[in-house]
Amino acid sequence: MDDDWLIYRGTGAPDPERIGHLPPPPPWRTFSGEPLPDPAPPIDSSSTRRLGTRIGAPPAYDAEALQLINAALYLRRPLLVTGEPGSGKSTLAHAIAYELGLGRVLQWPVVSRTELRDGLYTYDAIGRLQDAQLAERESRAPDDIGAYVKLGPLGTALLPTERPRVLLVDELDKSDIDLPNDLLIVVEEGEFTLPELERTADRPGHQEVLVLTDDGRRVPVRGGRVRCHAFPFIVMTSNGERDFPAPLLRRCIRLHLDPPRDERLASMVQAHFGAGADEGHLDLIARFTSEDGDGELRPTDQLLNAIYLTQHTGRAEPTRREEIAGLLMRPLETRQR
């Protein structure tokens, strides 16, 4: 495969020539937000946990997966990743952020009660009222409204930074029926409003308000509106437990990840336990992969748990290894046939 066009190559290591450099977006995916200073946040502990303490082992995605990932990067479209639990869907976002130098992954875990506003921002109206009453008793000016506004992971990702942020919308299929459609509007427009700030934007001194981000920084919001400059790289994951509306699917690049086996599985073991670790635990890996055909779900963290524990409980004793493997590598459920 001619890989000259690839931005993300799945090497597992940052390339100085590609860090932070993406080609221009298509004309229909350009946005007009006035750029803010790029914080270029470093990789965080969450990425280290997912990618392994020995970051650098390539994830070994196949050619089709790499092409779909790069298509999403070029087109500035969300990547909808499906697959069984433990197939590496969430890890993909961290791998891309690390290799392309896009900083900390902004994580938005979705549950059944999640609403779009949860990802955009929160406004502490009660806290503001209480502080205003206290300020009145103390004969001082109340705090600015921005002190009570915090951008969520999606809202932070849409800030107009020079380089795109990576946003992980984890387990979108857990949401209620409205969230995918609500999310569609923001994904298409690349902007949103904060009505609490928009209402006061025409007052003197309120045109620009400092608010807190998901990163813990203070950034200005002008006119009560956040409009992106570089559209974020959004990875939305799904365990395949529900169907999504066609308008959302039309605006996403879709990628299905099979459970990691062979090179991907070996790379994962090496990332967490060091070079050659896969060869030192061939019996556990063989047991983990030999039961693929029995219709049971076995996420890969069970294998990592078994390897870790055998290293601390007598890895040279075959009986002990078998006992640990039997205890830890149990199926979650039967696959739907």
Side-chain angles (χ1 to χ4, degrees), residues 23-31 73-76:
W28 56 90
R29 295 300 290 166
T30 56
F31 300 91
L73 286 166
Y74 271 91
L75 298 173
R76 306 303 200 270

Side-chain angles (χ1 to χ4, degrees), residues 204-217:
H206 287 77
Q207 178 62 31
E208 181 175 289
V209 177
L210 289 177
V211 303
L212 188 66
T213 72
D214 190 67
D215 291 316
R217 298 178 292 124

Side-chain angles (χ1 to χ4, degrees), residues 34 44 59 61 71 76 82 96 101 107 131 137 150 168 186 268 290 293 317 329:
E34 184 178 346
D44 67 330
Y61 296 112
R76 306 303 200 270
T82 58
I96 293 169
Q107 301 184 70
D131 289 351
R137 288 198 298 268
K150 181 180 180 181
L168 173 62
V186 176
M268 181 182 296
S290 65
E317 301 178 19
M329 292 195 294

Side-chain angles (χ1 to χ4, degrees), residues 269 276-286 307 310-311 315 321:
V269 172
D278 55 317
E279 297 179 359
H281 298 280
L282 291 177
D283 57 332
L284 294 177
I285 295 175
I307 292 175
T310 57
Q311 290 182 339
R315 65 181 284 177
R321 294 169 70 88

Side-chain angles (χ1 to χ4, degrees), residues 4 41 47 96 122 128 132 154 191 201 213 217-218 223 251 273 298 300-301 303:
D4 288 345
S47 291
I96 293 169
T122 57
R128 187 186 182 198
L154 175 57
E191 65 179 37
T213 72
R217 298 178 292 124
R218 293 279 178 185
R251 290 167 172 82
F273 299 104
R298 289 179 176 80
T300 50
D301 55 354
L303 173 62

Side-chain angles (χ1 to χ4, degrees), residues 3 58 68 82 111 147 155 165 203 225 251 254 273 285 313:
D3 62 358
L68 290 170
T82 58
V111 298
R165 298 295 302 271
R203 300 178 187 175
R225 182 178 297 270
R251 290 167 172 82
R254 286 177 279 173
F273 299 104
I285 295 175
T313 57

Side-chain angles (χ1 to χ4, degrees), residues 217-246:
R217 298 178 292 124
R218 293 279 178 185
V219 298
V221 171
R222 299 179 179 89
R225 182 178 297 270
V226 172
R227 179 183 290 114
C228 74
H229 175 78
F231 191 77
F233 185 69
I234 302 176
V235 177
M236 299 186 291
T237 73
S238 167
N239 292 326
E241 297 178 1
R242 62 176 286 189
D243 295 326
F244 295 112

Side-chain angles (χ1 to χ4, degrees), residues 114-256:
T114 300
E115 299 178 352
L116 178 64
R117 177 164 162 170
D118 298 326
L120 292 176
Y121 76 99
T122 57
Y123 171 61
D124 186 3
I126 295 177
R128 187 186 182 198
L129 176 61
Q130 292 173 338
D131 289 351
Q133 294 171 341
L134 180 61
E136 184 177 1
R137 288 198 298 268
E138 296 177 351
S139 300
R140 60 176 175 82
D143 290 336
D144 186 82
I145 187 175
Y148 307 96
V149 176
K150 181 180 180 181
L151 299 181
L154 175 57
T156 301
L158 290 172
L159 286 170
T161 53
E162 289 279 1
R163 292 191 289 180
R165 298 295 302 271
V166 176
L167 171 67
L168 173 62
V169 184
D170 214 5
E171 298 194 342
L172 183 61
D173 48 351
K174 296 290 193 298
S175 71
D176 69 16
I177 194 170
D178 293 325
L179 181 59
N181 283 316
D182 295 341
L183 184 61
L184 170 66
I185 300 172
V186 176
V187 165
E188 187 63 21
E189 300 301 327
E191 65 179 37
F192 68 97
T193 60
L194 296 84
E196 295 83 358
L197 304 186
E198 198 174 33
R199 283 195 295 266
T200 61
D202 58 348
R203 300 178 187 175
H206 287 77
Q207 178 62 31
E208 181 175 289
V209 177
L210 289 177
V211 303
L212 188 66
T213 72
D214 190 67
D215 291 316
R217 298 178 292 124
R218 293 279 178 185
V219 298
V221 171
R222 299 179 179 89
R225 182 178 297 270
V226 172
R227 179 183 290 114
C228 74
H229 175 78
F231 191 77
F233 185 69
I234 302 176
V235 177
M236 299 186 291
T237 73
S238 167
N239 292 326
E241 297 178 1
R242 62 176 286 189
D243 295 326
F244 295 112
L248 178 66
L249 296 177
R250 180 172 69 84
R251 290 167 172 82
C252 295
I253 304 297
R254 286 177 279 173
L255 167 65
H256 180 80

